[in-house]
Amino acid sequence: MSLGTLPNALVVIAVVIAVIARRISWSELDNSNADVWRGPVVLVGIGIYQLYAGHAQLGVAGVILLAIGAAVALVAGVASGRVAQVERRAGKVFYRLGLPGLGIMVAYLVIRLGLAGVGHLVGVPVAQGGALMVSLGANLLTQSMIIQGKASRMAEEYTNQ
């Protein structure tokens, strides 16, 4: 592990802990679109910057690992968003992942870290921090969009009653 990888790993770990803590407990869902995309897009931006700043050369193995990581992130994001619980309380929308969503997030993180390990073993430089940040951001963005969609449908049903 290089000296540059350690801060990256610490940032990813801190983000994961903060996100999991927030998403397993009931949280009010701000109805603005910015709440859905702001944090995940920042993560994706940081990851892309790190990939670009690291001057990583994308070979065939790098492209394959990035594609697999993106697919895993999107599938896990959709799955965890679908099992998320959404409730309306006193005119406000609250959500949480609950245990099934937490299980999906943990499985996603284990698979994604496994992909990073495989990339490291085969010498693919893009399989490290930047790619992890992009993958995590894509996962959270997908998850948030599914949850926001559920909340919007719930609001429509509530106003149509």
Side-chain angles (χ1 to χ4, degrees), residues 98-125:
L99 289 179
L102 178 61
I104 292 168
M105 284 284 292
V106 168
Y108 155 70
L109 291 171
V110 167
I111 292 169
R112 188 58 193 92
L113 291 174
L115 286 173
V118 168
H120 182 71
L121 289 175
V122 297
V124 177

Side-chain angles (χ1 to χ4, degrees), residues 3-153:
L3 194 58
T5 307
L6 183 60
N8 233 1
L10 293 175
V11 168
V12 169
I13 290 169
V15 167
V16 167
I17 289 171
V19 166
I20 288 176
R22 180 173 182 236
R23 294 197 177 205
I24 62 171
S25 60
W26 287 104
S27 300
E28 183 179 351
L29 181 65
D30 184 7
N31 228 4
S32 71
N33 290 329
D35 188 49
V36 173
W37 59 262
R38 186 179 330 142
V41 167
V42 168
L43 279 177
V44 170
I46 290 170
I48 289 172
Y49 173 76
Q50 288 177 343
L51 287 171
Y52 177 75
H55 304 292
Q57 298 296 322
L58 282 179
V60 174
V63 170
I64 290 171
L65 283 174
L66 284 174
I68 292 170
V72 169
L74 296 176
V75 167
V78 168
S80 58
R82 290 186 61 141
V83 300
Q85 299 166 329
V86 179
E87 288 184 1
R88 188 167 191 82
R89 299 179 191 164
K92 296 181 180 182
V93 177
F94 290 83
Y95 76 98
R96 74 174 181 174
L97 289 182
L99 289 179
L102 178 61
I104 292 168
M105 284 284 292
V106 168
Y108 155 70
L109 291 171
V110 167
I111 292 169
R112 188 58 193 92
L113 291 174
L115 286 173
V118 168
H120 182 71
L121 289 175
V122 297
V124 177
V126 298
Q128 296 177 4
L132 284 169
M133 293 276 225
V134 170
S135 178
L136 183 60
N139 172 272
L140 294 175
L141 181 61
T142 305
Q143 185 184 107
S144 296
M145 290 172 63
I146 299 292
I147 292 170
Q148 185 77 12
K150 285 173 113 175
S152 294
R153 284 189 300 278

